[in-house]
Amino acid sequence: MTHPRELRTANGKALLGPGADAAFGSLAAPEIRQRVLLAHWVAHSRDKTQQYLGFPLGRIMLQRWMRSKAGSRRIEAFGLPRHIVHETLGESALTLHVNPRELIRMAIQAPRKQEKRPSSLAFIWEGSWDQRREDLRVGTRYSLISDLDENRHQLEQTVRFKKLMKRIEQGKPWESYQQGVFLDTPEKILEYLRIYLEFLDEMARDGFDPRRGKDALGVVISREGRILKINRGLHRLAMAQRLGLPKVPVQVRHVHRYWWDHVTAGATGELALHRMQQALRRCVPETQAGPLDQDPDTLLTEAFWPAPRVSLSV
């Protein structure tokens, strides 16, 4: 295992977590160093398992399916190996560019006891996940970014600062092993929030940088061929929405079985992938609530969004 880079602090050695942006380096906490090391080990083990087992097996599976070899129907019934579909088609083939203020619905999985969840390893998903859709306009990430932006000169007034302070008062400071951050003082909380503001201002100045962040903005395609968000890159999407960026790149991680069957029309192998890729270009973000949503639809208009705030160079 490659040893993660250590940072020296006034209190000793600290580590940024495996999912941390370098901007959080000033907040790397020696107090949780051992747990952060464990997070690095888990991430390293997962990556090596994929590299030496998951990817080779997935390549064999996809090749058998592409050539209609024995077992190809079972491989498609499984959902095709997601990472190898991405590897075969290339990143650009599964990247769409959308208006972030139109990408307002996130797919919500049913409780495990109610419905079996599809495997994250499969490219084709079955189930009712596309019928439950959280409204990201009233979600926690957009609320956080808006609150920080509106109170940038008095961050002590933000909801997040007050919640994090309450945890300190209760003797349970907030910590993240994936980031390597331990917020046990008001000063650290303020620094943590300022970093998010810096991300926002950087995006306003330079535009959306797809290289920033651990993962691309992941999306899924519903049974109706509509784009839904999943839980990857939600803070960056919220920033793009707040700023009113015209377009952001999103990466298709999974597609619904019904949509796949419809657009491939019985084809398999290379022809099926080609038909699916062409159909992706016609997909647009889903803006409506799902038929299985229990809460009434949020009545918001275009006036909900603040005026766009981006530099002329973006």
Side-chain angles (χ1 to χ4, degrees):
M1 171 180 174
T2 302
H3 198 72
R5 183 169 64 92
E6 290 187 327
L7 303 169
R8 292 188 177 276
T9 70
N11 297 322
K13 294 180 179 179
L15 296 171
L16 277 176
D21 189 287
F24 291 104
S26 62
L27 292 173
E31 296 91 340
I32 60 172
R33 183 176 182 277
Q34 293 303 315
R35 297 298 297 270
V36 176
L37 270 173
L38 177 60
H40 275 282
W41 181 84
V42 170
H44 176 80
S45 299
R46 181 182 63 245
D47 292 344
K48 290 302 180 183
T49 299
Q50 289 182 341
Q51 180 181 351
Y52 294 110
L53 180 61
F55 287 179
L57 178 60
R59 293 184 185 109
I60 292 172
M61 291 173 63
L62 193 66
Q63 282 301 313
R64 293 192 69 83
W65 175 76
M66 293 282 285
R67 298 171 182 173
S68 298
K69 296 287 187 178
S72 60
R73 289 186 179 181
R74 294 182 63 183
I75 292 170
E76 184 169 333
F78 161 75
L80 303 183
R82 175 174 68 86
H83 290 293
I84 310 307
V85 170
H86 280 241
E87 179 182 79
T88 300
L89 292 178
E91 184 175 312
S92 61
L94 294 169
T95 298
L96 307 175
H97 291 81
V98 302
N99 181 336
R101 289 186 172 181
E102 294 177 357
L103 186 57
I104 59 173
R105 298 287 175 177
M106 184 167 77
I108 302 298
Q109 299 280 9
R112 294 182 186 278
K113 62 181 180 181
Q114 180 177 330
E115 180 179 282
K116 181 181 178 181
R117 294 188 175 182
S119 170
S120 62
L121 300 177
F123 180 70
I124 305 170
W125 273 5
E126 298 179 356
S128 63
W129 49 268
D130 62 330
Q131 304 291 281
R132 300 175 183 83
R133 307 164 190 162
E134 176 184 337
D135 190 336
L136 295 175
R137 294 171 296 180
V138 293
T140 57
R141 280 77 167 191
Y142 186 78
S143 296
L144 166 65
I145 298 304
S146 298
D147 197 13
L148 293 179
D149 195 22
E150 293 167 3
N151 294 284
R152 58 173 53 233
H153 300 301
Q154 47 181 1
L155 292 174
E156 297 89 345
Q157 299 302 314
T158 61
V159 172
R160 182 58 60 90
F161 179 87
K162 293 174 181 177
K163 286 184 177 180
L164 293 173
M165 276 300 301
K166 187 174 182 179
R167 292 192 61 130
I168 293 177
E169 294 164 0
Q170 294 173 338
K172 300 177 180 179
W174 185 82
E175 56 192 13
S176 169
Y177 308 129
Q178 290 300 311
Q179 290 183 323
V181 172
F182 182 60
L183 304 181
D184 59 341
T185 69
E187 292 76 19
K188 289 182 181 179
I189 295 174
L190 289 173
E191 177 65 15
Y192 184 73
L193 299 181
R194 288 191 193 102
I195 290 170
Y196 273 99
L197 269 179
E198 289 172 4
F199 290 156
L200 179 68
D201 292 342
E202 180 182 279
M203 190 180 293
R205 182 183 68 248
D206 302 329
F208 187 90
D209 185 353
R211 299 167 298 178
R212 199 76 186 252
K214 183 181 178 182
D215 299 294
L217 298 187
V219 297
V220 290
I221 304 300
S222 75
R223 69 187 66 200
E224 297 165 334
R226 298 299 182 99
I227 304 170
L228 294 168
K229 191 71 186 71
I230 53 175
N231 193 23
R232 296 287 183 181
L234 289 172
H235 286 103
R236 284 175 290 146
L237 174 61
M239 292 178 190
Q241 291 172 331
R242 178 73 183 175
L243 296 171
L245 296 188
K247 297 286 183 181
V248 294
V250 298
Q251 188 177 87
V252 177
R253 297 294 183 88
H254 312 277
V255 302
H256 200 284
R257 172 77 65 183
Y258 292 167
W259 181 80
W260 167 271
D261 288 344
H262 174 70
V263 300
T264 58
T268 60
E270 186 175 346
L271 178 58
L273 292 179
H274 175 74
R275 288 179 176 177
M276 184 271 299
Q277 185 180 341
Q278 293 300 307
L280 282 177
R281 305 304 157 188
R282 301 190 294 272
C283 294
V284 296
E286 176 62 77
T287 59
Q288 301 301 312
L292 297 181
D293 289 338
Q294 296 182 353
D295 297 329
D297 199 10
T298 307
L299 298 177
L300 298 175
T301 66
E302 284 297 319
F304 167 81
W305 302 111
R309 190 175 83 246
V310 294
S311 68
L312 294 178
S313 62
V314 173

